[in-house]
């Protein structure tokens, strides 16, 4: 029995180890899970299916009409002798509305164009959600970098404290200097806790977008946290955006649909005849057949209001298309300016400032150990190093967020 309990305990531990050792997800894996599980995105796909169902309805033919009648039943006494069904009149008639000027085809074309708009709108919805997903992914990578930086700073500072305690024991520094150094450690502990909370918050946001219930401790993301110094010219991004942006494509499709709707409104103003055929028996005629045509007179109602509305709707959608094009240029230009600004700021950090901050900190610490620099000089150098490193990590996060914004503005991933 005891051996069985040990085996169960080992199995539980093994499951826990496996669960905790799940590999971190790359951006491609995160995006794949998002497309498979995000409820908002999945709900949007149903709009496309609904539009396709409307295509079926739009192309349906009018139902024919069938009527059966029995008349001249005489159950009453009086007059010459007769039977109740002696003069029975039976009639069966069928009718069908014939739609002219391709009304059915125009309805189907309008519905198909509506489906195309729904597809473009779904792609635009995915574009916006992917920006949110990429933002949460970048925040996770940024928070991991800040957390690692906080751990490194705390470890380095603990090394400084160990050296300082040895110097204090040797009588090389005063008690007040050691106390000030130990008090300064609170700041690094606070940085570590803040970074840990920020990382958990970023992971929670990412899990929400993935509709994933994995515990935060078992979930992780990984990817390059760096910047590209070379970006395409602005005109290239503009051209790609004009060809790719789904909201711009939807606006153009709305213009085409408005034109089709206007043609349908004109067709609906035409007269549709109802063709009829009947067969019956009318004593003394044993059988007979007949034909009829019913034509409504479009004297007052010729669908004038709908014709005017759909004509105005063409102009309205054209103005919306112009506005969408202007918005595309604005989005691309703004995002490009932010990306370019971040690249300009990051280049000197990577080429010079990071190395200088490390060199200054280590040099001042070396001098402080040997009495060549004051405690204040060392604390200032350490603070400057911390500020430079943190600024660089935050700038990288800003760059990657701006790159995601540029991808959204263009309509596809142009900066990985």
């Amino acid at each position: 029995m005891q051996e069985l309990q040990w085996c169960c305990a080992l199995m539980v531990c093994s499951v826990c180890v496996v669960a905790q050792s799940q590999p971190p997800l790359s951006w491609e894996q995160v995006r794949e899970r998002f497309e498979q599980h995000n409820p908002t995105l999945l709900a949007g796909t149903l709009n496309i299916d609904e539009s396709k169902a409307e295509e079926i309805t739009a192309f349906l033919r009018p139902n024919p009409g069938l009527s059966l009648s029995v008349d001249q039943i005489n159950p009453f006494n009086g007059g010459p002798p007769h039977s109740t069904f002696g003069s029975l009149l039976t009639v069966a008639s069928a009718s069908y509305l014939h739609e002219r000027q391709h009304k059915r085809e125009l309805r189907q074309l309008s519905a198909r164009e509506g489906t195309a708009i729904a597809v473009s709108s779904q792609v635009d919805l995915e574009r916006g959600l992917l920006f949110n997903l990429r933002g949460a992914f970048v925040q996770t990578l940024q928070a991991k970098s800040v957390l690692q930086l906080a751990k490194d700073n705390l470890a380095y500072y603990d090394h400084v404290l160990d050296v300082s305690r040895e110097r204090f024991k040797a009588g090389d520094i005063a008690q007040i200097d050691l106390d000030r150094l130990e008090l300064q450690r609170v700041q690094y502990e606070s940085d570590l806790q803040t970074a840990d909370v920020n990382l958990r918050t970023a992971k929670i946001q990412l899990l929400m977008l993935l509709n994933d219930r994995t515990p935060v401790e078992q979930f992780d993301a990984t990817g390059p946290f760096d910047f590209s110094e070379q970006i395409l010219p602005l005109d290239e991004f503009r051209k790609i955006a004009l060809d790719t942006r789904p909201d711009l494509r939807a606006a153009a499709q709305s213009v085409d649909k408005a034109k089709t709707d206007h043609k349908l409104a004109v067709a609906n103003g035409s007269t549709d005849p109802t063709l009829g055929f009947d067969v019956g028996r009318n004593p003394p005629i044993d059988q007979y057949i007949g034909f009829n045509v019913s034509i409504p007179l479009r004297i007052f109602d010729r669908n004038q209001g709908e014709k005017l509305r759909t004509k105005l709707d063409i102009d309205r959608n054209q103005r919306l298309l112009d506005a969408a094009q202007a918005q595309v240029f604005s989005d691309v230009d703004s995002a490009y300016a932010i990306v370019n600004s971040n690249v300009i700021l990051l280049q000197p950090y990577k080429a010079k400032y990071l190395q200088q901050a490390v060199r200054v900190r280590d040099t001042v610490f070396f001098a402080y150990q040997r009495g060549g620099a004051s405690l204040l000089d060392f604390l200032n150098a350490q603070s400057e190093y911390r500020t430079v490193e943190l600024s660089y990590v935050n700038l990288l996060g800003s760059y990657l967020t701006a790159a995601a914004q540029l991808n959204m503005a263009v309509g596809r991933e142009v900066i990985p």
Side-chain angles (χ1 to χ4, degrees):
M1 185 66 181
Q2 187 176 4
E3 292 179 356
L4 180 60
Q5 291 176 350
W6 276 105
C7 291
C8 293
L10 288 174
M11 291 177 62
V12 172
C13 292
S14 300
V15 172
C16 293
V17 170
V18 171
Q20 291 176 359
S21 61
Q22 289 182 354
L25 301 179
S26 65
W27 166 244
E28 290 75 15
Q29 292 171 321
V30 167
R31 179 170 179 170
E32 182 180 358
R33 289 195 180 188
F34 166 79
E35 292 173 347
Q36 292 175 352
H37 301 294
N38 183 265
T40 304
L41 191 64
L42 295 177
T45 59
L46 297 177
N47 290 330
I48 301 176
D49 296 334
E50 290 177 1
S51 295
K52 290 180 179 179
E54 290 177 359
E55 290 182 33
I56 299 174
T57 302
F59 199 58
L60 293 176
R61 297 177 181 274
N63 288 321
L66 175 66
S67 66
L68 301 173
S69 62
V70 178
D71 203 357
Q72 298 185 175
I73 299 174
N74 189 359
F76 307 104
N77 297 324
H82 62 278
S83 65
T84 301
F85 303 102
S87 300
L88 188 67
L89 172 64
T90 58
V91 179
S93 62
S95 62
Y96 180 75
L97 176 68
H98 174 66
E99 293 183 305
R100 298 173 56 244
Q101 296 191 6
H102 308 288
K103 292 184 179 69
R104 191 163 62 98
E105 290 79 6
L106 287 172
R107 285 198 305 268
Q108 185 187 42
L109 178 58
S110 178
R112 285 179 176 175
E113 290 171 341
T115 300
I117 294 173
V119 172
S120 298
S121 299
Q122 175 65 13
V123 176
D124 191 53
L125 173 65
E126 183 177 0
R127 178 179 70 99
L129 290 174
L130 278 176
F131 172 70
N132 296 335
L133 181 71
R134 190 61 181 261
F137 184 78
V138 169
Q139 286 179 3
T140 302
L141 297 182
Q142 181 179 354
K144 286 180 65 177
S145 297
V146 173
L147 180 61
Q148 186 60 48
L149 179 61
K151 290 179 179 179
D152 294 342
N153 286 339
L154 184 59
Y156 180 85
Y157 201 78
D158 284 339
H159 170 67
V160 171
L161 286 176
D162 292 339
V163 173
S164 299
R165 291 187 183 104
E166 293 298 325
R167 292 182 62 194
F168 172 73
K169 292 178 182 179
D172 195 23
I173 62 173
Q175 179 69 51
I176 186 64
D177 290 341
L178 181 61
D179 291 342
R180 291 179 65 184
L181 285 170
E182 290 181 341
L183 286 173
Q184 190 67 24
R185 190 180 188 276
V186 176
Q187 180 63 53
Y188 294 98
E189 291 176 345
S190 176
D191 290 346
L192 182 62
Q193 290 300 317
T194 302
D196 184 64
V197 171
N198 290 339
L199 178 58
R200 292 178 65 87
T201 302
K203 287 183 178 181
I204 290 171
Q205 179 68 19
L206 194 55
L207 286 168
M208 184 272 293
L209 291 170
L210 297 178
N211 195 27
D212 195 337
R213 301 296 184 269
T214 302
V216 177
E217 295 78 8
Q218 300 174 14
F219 177 79
D220 196 10
T222 185
F225 192 67
D226 202 352
F227 71 100
S228 174
E229 298 186 13
Q230 300 295 330
I231 57 177
L232 295 174
L234 176 60
D235 290 339
E236 291 295 326
F237 289 119
R238 284 182 168 184
K239 291 177 182 178
I240 296 173
L242 290 176
D243 295 335
T244 310
R245 277 281 288 262
D247 55 337
L248 184 61
R249 183 166 61 249
Q253 291 167 339
S254 296
V255 174
D256 296 335
K257 185 177 185 303
K259 293 177 180 179
T260 301
D261 290 342
H262 178 64
K263 293 179 182 179
L264 179 60
V266 173
N268 286 334
S270 64
T271 298
D272 293 332
T274 300
L275 308 178
F277 168 80
D278 61 273
V279 58
R281 174 182 177 278
N282 186 15
I285 302 175
D286 289 336
Q287 289 122 1
Y288 72 88
I289 59 173
F291 303 92
N292 66 82
V293 177
S294 174
I295 302 175
L297 301 178
R298 307 297 295 261
I299 298 175
F300 305 108
D301 179 8
R302 297 188 300 275
N303 209 33
Q304 301 95 320
E306 194 64 14
K307 291 178 184 177
L308 178 60
R309 186 195 68 78
T310 51
K311 184 177 181 180
L312 294 173
D313 198 45
I314 297 175
D315 296 334
R316 183 182 71 86
N317 282 282
Q318 186 61 54
R319 299 296 178 270
L320 292 176
L321 176 60
D322 296 339
Q325 289 177 339
Q327 186 65 48
V328 167
F329 287 124
S330 174
D331 292 345
V332 173
D333 292 355
S334 299
Y336 183 86
I338 297 173
V339 171
N340 192 51
S341 174
N342 282 311
V343 170
I344 293 174
L345 290 173
L346 283 166
Q347 286 174 339
Y349 268 91
K350 191 172 184 178
K352 180 174 60 174
Y353 296 150
L354 292 176
Q355 293 84 349
Q356 283 183 342
V358 175
R359 187 167 61 249
V360 168
R361 181 192 65 171
D362 293 344
T363 301
V364 173
F365 178 56
F366 181 81
Y368 170 69
Q369 282 182 302
R370 286 154 181 77
S374 66
L375 175 62
L376 183 60
D377 291 335
F378 168 70
L379 292 178
N380 287 337
Q382 179 67 18
S383 177
E384 289 168 0
Y385 167 81
R386 172 175 165 272
T387 300
V388 169
E389 288 284 348
L390 188 60
S391 297
Y392 178 70
V393 171
N394 289 334
L395 270 175
L396 277 177
S398 299
Y399 164 80
L400 291 174
T401 301
Q405 185 176 359
L406 183 58
N407 291 338
M408 184 181 70
V410 171
R412 65 179 177 86
E413 195 168 277
V414 289
I415 300 180

